[in-house]
Amino acid sequence: MWSIELDASFENFFTNRVIASLRPLRQMATESGGAIEQLTVKQVVAWFVKDGKIPTEQGTEAAFFDL
């Protein structure tokens, strides 16, 4: 079994990553009309591809991610 010592900065970083990942997953679930748990890998990848094309096609304001 692995033993990993986590310092406070890593715990903070990891917590922020988990919370940040929920935002797009919630949006994907809303758009699909289901729950996060029902999303498939194919749906997640397709959503990111679609959202990645939006700034080019519709402008940066229309995309979910403000890059």
Side-chain angles (χ1 to χ4, degrees):
M1 182 59 59
W2 293 12
S3 176
I4 300 174
E5 292 186 35
L6 305 176
D7 64 7
S9 65
F10 178 78
E11 286 184 23
N12 186 43
F13 167 80
F14 188 75
T15 300
N16 287 335
R17 294 299 99 211
V18 170
I19 291 169
S21 69
L22 284 174
R23 185 173 169 243
L25 288 171
R26 285 184 184 136
Q27 182 64 28
M28 290 175 219
T30 298
E31 290 179 19
S32 73
I36 291 173
E37 297 84 7
Q38 296 171 324
L39 292 170
T40 65
V41 172
K42 187 175 181 177
Q43 287 174 302
V44 172
V45 171
W47 186 89
F48 276 105
V49 169
K50 177 190 74 151
D51 195 67
K53 292 178 181 178
I54 290 174
T56 304
E57 297 170 354
Q58 301 174 28
T60 56
E61 307 81 33
F64 182 79
F65 287 110
D66 184 18
L67 301 177

